[in-house]
């Protein structure tokens, strides 16, 4: 078994390179490939800045993305305080080798393993001492720096959804259920589907209006999504995700909806009247459709 280990949040292009090499190496050796990952995120257990933690993928999304790359097995370990106390040597020896029969471990350039936070070089030395073969994968970079989950979260928080998607290798999305809103959008001529996320810790793009691809009722549509606090109508300050689906008039309350963020149209702002808001929404719709 050739094994890669890590949280792999978002399964971005850097992760894809690691996992592609994992699959290739396993096939060359005539063995299976395996990813060992964890849930929940270590920061939620260790309380290290956990309040600000946001995820790029739910557990199911992460597993599906990893499997789509050809990985044979995905094992999810419960990240607990007891588990966090394992040293790098204990983790590689007892878990990677002992529990899962690993013969080789693939290490990314920024791997940190164990309670002793062993870096890639230290983990490689420990693995070799235990009898594990070691495969090292270099960083994937774009025009400015190494691709990382942190850089992608920052891009999303700033509304740069195209930059985030370029680093992910796919359009960033949110997945949830349609819940009832205040029906104001329908009164303005722009009915919206209000989303409640299945994974509450998912990173939501920064406040603004976006062109989105919408998956619901087994088909794909396009629409414009407002993320924000609805300042014109005196919102409560609670952020909402509401989407006007173009040329669509089905009742989808209580049903599944998935959004892919394609492009930012504008920032969210307050308008002097509902009429002014409605006029801007019409301009937004025309512009969004022109992008298609």
């Amino acid at each position: 078994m050739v094994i890669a280990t890590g949280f792999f949040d978002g399964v971005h292009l850097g992760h894809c390179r690691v996992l592609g090499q994992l699959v290739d190496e396993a096939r060359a050796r005539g063995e299976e490939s395996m990813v060992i990952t964890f849930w929940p995120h270590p920061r939620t257990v260790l309380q290290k800045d956990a309040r600000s933690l946001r995820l790029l993928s739910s557990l199911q999304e992460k597993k599906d993305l990893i499997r789509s790359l050809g990985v044979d097995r995905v094992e999810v370990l419960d990240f607990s305080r007891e588990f966090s106390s394992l040293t790098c040597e204990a983790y590689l020896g007892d878990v990677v080798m002992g529990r899962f029969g690993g013969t080789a471990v693939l290490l990314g350039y920024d791997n940190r393993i164990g309670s002793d936070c062993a870096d890639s070089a230290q983990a490689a030395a420990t693995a070799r001492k235990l009898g594990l073969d070691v495969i090292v994968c270099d960083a994937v970079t774009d025009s400015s720096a190494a691709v990382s989950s942190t850089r992608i979260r920052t891009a999303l928080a700033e509304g740069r959804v195209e930059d985030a998607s370029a680093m992910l290798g796919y359009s960033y999305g949110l997945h949830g259920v349609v819940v009832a809103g205040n029906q104001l959008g329908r009164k303005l001529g722009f009915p919206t589907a209000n989303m409640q996320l299945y994974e509450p810790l998912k990173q939501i793009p920064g406040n603004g209006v976006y062109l989105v691809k919408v998956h619901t009722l087994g088909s794909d549509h396009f629409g414009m999504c407002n993320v924000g606090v609805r300042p014109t109508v005196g919102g409560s300050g609670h952020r909402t995700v509401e989407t006007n689906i173009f040329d669509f008039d089905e009742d989808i309350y209580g049903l599944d909806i998935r959004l892919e963020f394609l492009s930012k149209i504008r920032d969210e702002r307050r308008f002097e009247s509902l009429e002014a808001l409605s006029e801007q929404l019409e301009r937004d719709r025309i512009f969004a459709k022109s992008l298609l």
Side-chain angles (χ1 to χ4, degrees):
M1 189 74 67
V2 183
I3 294 175
T5 182
F7 194 75
F8 295 105
D9 189 27
V11 194
H12 56 60
L13 290 179
H15 297 142
C16 288
R17 177 169 175 173
V18 170
L19 299 180
Q21 190 169 344
L22 171 74
V23 171
D24 290 345
E25 185 70 25
R27 288 174 178 167
R29 294 165 63 103
E31 300 183 46
E32 283 191 303
S33 56
M34 175 190 285
V35 165
I36 302 175
T37 190
F38 320 105
W39 200 265
H41 193 286
R43 279 167 57 185
T44 66
V45 175
L46 303 177
Q47 298 298 306
K48 293 184 177 180
D49 198 25
R51 289 183 181 273
S52 64
L53 173 67
R54 292 296 178 268
L55 300 173
L56 299 175
S57 53
S58 67
L59 177 58
Q60 189 60 52
E61 287 169 340
K62 177 167 64 172
K63 290 163 64 176
D64 290 345
L65 285 164
I66 291 171
R67 290 193 181 104
S68 74
L69 298 172
V71 174
D72 294 310
R73 289 178 60 185
V74 181
E75 294 288 341
V76 181
L77 302 184
D78 178 41
F79 193 93
S80 62
R81 285 195 171 272
E82 180 181 5
F83 180 80
S84 74
S85 68
L86 290 176
T87 63
C88 176
E89 183 168 353
Y91 177 71
L92 292 176
D94 298 344
V95 178
V96 172
M97 296 180 71
R99 180 171 172 182
F100 294 115
T103 60
V105 62
L106 190 145
L107 300 172
Y109 80 100
D110 62 347
N111 264 123
R112 292 281 177 175
I113 298 179
S115 58
D116 43 348
C117 292
D119 61 23
S120 292
Q122 294 165 329
T126 299
R128 293 187 181 102
K129 182 178 75 172
L130 292 169
L132 277 168
D133 293 337
V134 175
I135 307 125
V136 178
C137 189
D138 295 330
V140 172
T141 61
D142 59 12
S143 59
S144 57
V147 173
S148 71
S149 298
T150 299
R151 287 189 66 214
I152 296 168
R153 291 188 199 104
T154 298
L156 289 169
E158 294 174 353
R160 296 184 288 110
V161 294
E162 290 167 297
D163 291 344
S165 295
M167 289 185 279
L168 285 166
Y170 56 88
S171 295
Y172 183 72
L174 297 177
H175 190 198
V177 62
V178 179
V179 296
N182 61 8
Q183 303 294 313
L184 180 61
R186 185 170 295 278
K187 294 175 184 176
L188 293 173
F190 294 87
T192 59
N194 290 28
M195 171 187 279
Q196 179 176 304
L197 300 182
Y198 290 139
E199 173 48 70
L201 289 182
K202 276 273 283 193
Q203 177 74 58
I204 298 174
N207 292 358
V209 180
Y210 298 87
L211 172 65
V212 293
K213 190 173 185 179
V214 185
H215 308 265
T216 190
L217 291 179
S219 59
D220 295 339
H221 311 268
F222 290 97
M224 57 184 188
C225 174
N226 185 85
V227 176
V229 296
R230 302 186 297 176
T232 303
V233 297
S236 63
H238 174 69
R239 295 181 80 204
T240 61
V241 179
E242 47 188 339
T243 304
N244 172 247
I245 308 173
F246 300 149
D247 308 313
F248 183 85
D249 193 29
E250 300 288 340
D251 181 2
I252 55 173
Y253 287 124
L255 300 184
D256 191 83
I257 187 170
R258 186 186 297 271
L259 305 180
E260 293 181 25
F261 287 79
L262 305 181
S263 182
K264 186 174 183 180
I265 297 172
R266 62 171 173 86
D267 292 334
E268 183 183 48
R269 62 187 179 92
R270 184 181 182 278
F271 294 89
E272 293 303 316
S273 66
L274 292 180
E275 182 181 11
L277 171 59
S278 180
E279 290 171 354
Q280 180 61 55
L281 290 174
E282 182 58 36
R283 289 192 290 270
D284 293 338
R285 178 159 58 186
I286 292 170
F287 179 71
K289 286 188 172 183
S290 76
L291 296 177
L292 300 175

